[in-house]
Amino acid sequence: MYHSCLNLRVRYAETDQMGIAHHSSYFVWMEAARTELLREYGLSYRELEERGYLLPVVEAHCRFSRSVRYDDVITIESSLDQLGGASLRIGYRIFRAGEENPAVAEGYTLHAFTNREGRVVKTPDFFIALFEM
Amino acid sequence: MYHSCLNLRVRYAETDQMGIAHHSSYFVWMEAARTELLREYGLSYRELEERGYLLPVVEAHCRFSRSVRYDDVITIESSLDQLGGASLRIGYRIFRAGEENPAVAEGYTLHAFTNREGRVVKTPDFFIALFEM
Amino acid sequence: MYHSCLNLRVRYAETDQMGIAHHSSYFVWMEAARTELLREYGLSYRELEERGYLLPVVEAHCRFSRSVRYDDVITIESSLDQLGGASLRIGYRIFRAGEENPAVAEGYTLHAFTNREGRVVKTPDFFIALFEM
Amino acid sequence: MYHSCLNLRVRYAETDQMGIAHHSSYFVWMEAARTELLREYGLSYRELEERGYLLPVVEAHCRFSRSVRYDDVITIESSLDQLGGASLRIGYRIFRAGEENPAVAEGYTLHAFTNREGRVVKTPDFFIALFEM
């Protein structure tokens, strides 16, 4: 299974008064990672939207094992876990950059394919083709 | 099971270019809801932290069934689902205000009790007492 | 000059590791306040957008005099400071709820009227009429 | 005057329903840029805080000339504009990466030096020394 790796530096605004990155930030990082995952498969998500396809999140999950802090560099590893008839599941593992296991967090997001009106549509053929190569 | 209800209005900043509230916002709303849930049980989370107890999120999950939009008023219903020896699980159901079922989203967060250094500690007795009444 | 007052509770996610609300949050609160200001003048900003008018921010300023903390209730006072031929300036003063002066923060935002394509347009007559009453 | 340049990619979560990056995101980007500016002067802001000095924002300003969109790569140029007896002013110019003028946004932040209790303190000598070289 192909993995994409995105490195990001934790921003001050992403911390909370516990002194660690706020858990909602991880979902934002996962989203940044899947933009790169799709790009590495040859698809710009921006272009996908311009062609009339949206990928809203229908389920999101994350387990936080260790905290990360301001100015830490993290690596978000993402991969296409499942491609359904009208959906897509992406898995994520987040590390402190340069560290091996264990991951500081692991999660997934499930997405539906919809048109601009929010109606679920079939996974487009050109999208399936990207992952068959 | 006791439910707390918090009403919030979706902010413009919480939307994204899909024209709906961004999925990471739901976790922020859940957090606001659990502040109120704890307060209704007689505990200010601010005071809990001042007493040296933190409740970091160790797992977060949400299923998004229908989208909500800018300026929608939503109700976040929260309840204590489980109280463990060193942990806490809270469940959430989000509705458009005034609407009955179905929920637009449902989720949960799992929290560990830790001290200020991030070390897991036993659920304090005064905390257990709140929920036994 | 008419003032609108919006009360909000500072969210945990809005704090940073300094233990206070992050400065970027104030701009989100100001935005929530101007939604209410416009509504009190009889205009839903949502409807304004549906009619094809947008009010992007072209300038934003805030002076932070004192910090606010998680769970503080704050009042954001907003007022229309200036209505130009194609622009709008709104002023804000933020207080801890129940406190008199001094404000914890003061700021303004300047907005252009644009159409959906982002082109600047004249302040619509129905908009001017709202503020003349 | 020394300029630091930070490149960032606009995140989906940073957009709003206008289809452009939300104005509050610019202040988060500026903050990321000043972390790098200080680092290039030889100072980790994380270490500065660990030594007991904080730099809370006391004023923030931004003028937005052109919008930026999801997936745009932007360059945030930052420089130390003024070093006062107990304060610091940093200026920012934001560009679309690879574009020359004009900037899409320009702004500044003014910071006070405080101790951990939030009391204003004199600009420390080791800090002044960094900028005299």
Side-chain angles (χ1 to χ4, degrees), chain A residues 14-106:
Chain A
E14 291 169 341
T15 65
D16 63 27
Q17 70 179 41
M18 240 178 247
I20 58 176
H22 191 264
H23 61 285
S24 67
S25 304
Y26 291 67
F27 295 100
V28 175
W29 301 334
M30 289 179 191
E31 184 175 68
R34 73 180 166 268
T35 290
E36 298 311 318
L37 175 67
L38 293 180
R39 196 189 323 276
E40 291 173 17
Y41 271 112
L43 181 78
S44 148
Y45 180 68
R46 171 144 72 170
E47 279 169 40
L48 187 70
E49 285 206 349
E50 286 165 3
R51 288 173 76 162
Y53 294 96
L54 307 181
L55 279 173
V57 178
V58 295
E59 200 178 321
H61 181 266
C62 193
R63 183 174 296 117
F64 309 90
S65 308
R66 294 183 298 150
S67 55
V68 295
R69 294 181 178 275
Y70 163 62
D71 217 32
D72 283 350
V73 178
I74 55 169
T75 302
I76 305 116
E77 200 183 274
S78 61
S79 59
L80 179 77
D81 281 0
Q82 215 174 359
L83 186 55
S87 69
L88 185 64
R89 183 181 149 133
I90 297 177
Y92 311 88
R93 302 212 306 151
I94 303 181
F95 301 89
R96 283 206 200 84
E99 278 189 18
E100 289 296 318
N101 291 296
V104 298
E106 295 183 78

Side-chain angles (χ1 to χ4, degrees), chain B residues 84-95:
Chain B
S87 69
L88 185 64
R89 185 181 146 132
I90 298 177
Y92 311 88
R93 302 215 304 153
I94 303 180
F95 300 89

Side-chain angles (χ1 to χ4, degrees), chain D residues 40-124:
Chain D
E40 291 173 15
Y41 271 111
L43 181 78
S44 149
Y45 180 69
R46 170 142 74 169
E47 279 169 41
L48 186 71
E49 285 206 350
E50 285 164 6
R51 290 173 76 161
Y53 293 97
L54 307 182
L55 280 172
V57 177
V58 295
E59 200 178 320
H61 182 265
C62 194
R63 183 172 298 118
F64 309 91
S65 307
R66 294 184 296 150
S67 54
V68 294
R69 295 181 179 275
Y70 163 62
D71 217 32
D72 283 349
V73 178
I74 54 170
T75 302
I76 305 116
E77 198 183 275
S78 62
S79 59
L80 180 77
D81 282 359
Q82 214 172 359
L83 186 55
S87 69
L88 186 63
R89 184 181 147 133
I90 297 177
Y92 311 87
R93 302 213 306 153
I94 303 180
F95 300 89
R96 285 206 198 84
E99 277 189 19
E100 291 296 318
N101 291 297
V104 297
E106 295 183 79
Y108 67 84
T109 52
L110 183 66
H111 303 259
F113 275 95
T114 76
N115 61 19
R116 285 201 186 101
E117 289 70 44
R119 199 168 299 271
V120 174
V121 297
K122 272 180 48 185
T123 305

Side-chain angles (χ1 to χ4, degrees), chain C residues 65-79:
Chain C
S65 308
R66 293 184 298 150
S67 54
V68 295
R69 294 181 178 276
Y70 164 62
D71 216 33
D72 283 350
V73 178
I74 55 170
T75 302
I76 305 116
E77 200 183 275
S78 61
S79 59

Side-chain angles (χ1 to χ4, degrees), chain B residues 8-9 11-14 28-29 31-32 35-36 39 44-46 49 54 69-72, chain C residues 8-9 11-14 28-29 31-32 35-36 39 44-46 49 54 69-72:
Chain B
L8 291 176
R9 194 179 278 281
R11 299 173 179 181
Y12 203 89
E14 291 169 339
V28 175
W29 301 336
E31 184 176 66
T35 291
E36 297 313 317
R39 196 190 322 278
S44 150
Y45 181 69
R46 171 143 75 170
E49 284 207 349
L54 307 182
R69 295 180 178 275
Y70 163 63
D71 217 32
D72 282 349
Chain C
L8 292 176
R9 195 178 277 281
R11 300 174 178 180
Y12 202 89
E14 291 169 339
V28 175
W29 301 336
E31 184 176 68
T35 291
E36 297 313 317
R39 196 189 322 278
S44 149
Y45 180 68
R46 171 143 72 170
E49 284 207 348
L54 307 181
R69 294 181 178 276
Y70 164 62
D71 216 33
D72 283 350

Side-chain angles (χ1 to χ4, degrees), chain C residues 56-121:
Chain C
V57 177
V58 294
E59 201 178 320
H61 182 265
C62 192
R63 183 173 296 118
F64 309 90
S65 308
R66 293 184 298 150
S67 54
V68 295
R69 294 181 178 276
Y70 164 62
D71 216 33
D72 283 350
V73 178
I74 55 170
T75 302
I76 305 116
E77 200 183 275
S78 61
S79 59
L80 179 77
D81 281 359
Q82 215 173 356
L83 186 54
S87 70
L88 186 62
R89 185 182 147 133
I90 297 177
Y92 311 87
R93 301 212 308 151
I94 303 180
F95 300 90
R96 283 205 200 84
E99 278 189 17
E100 289 296 319
N101 292 296
V104 297
E106 296 183 77
Y108 67 82
T109 51
L110 183 67
H111 302 259
F113 273 96
T114 75
N115 60 18
R116 284 199 187 105
E117 288 70 42
R119 198 170 298 271
V120 174
V121 296

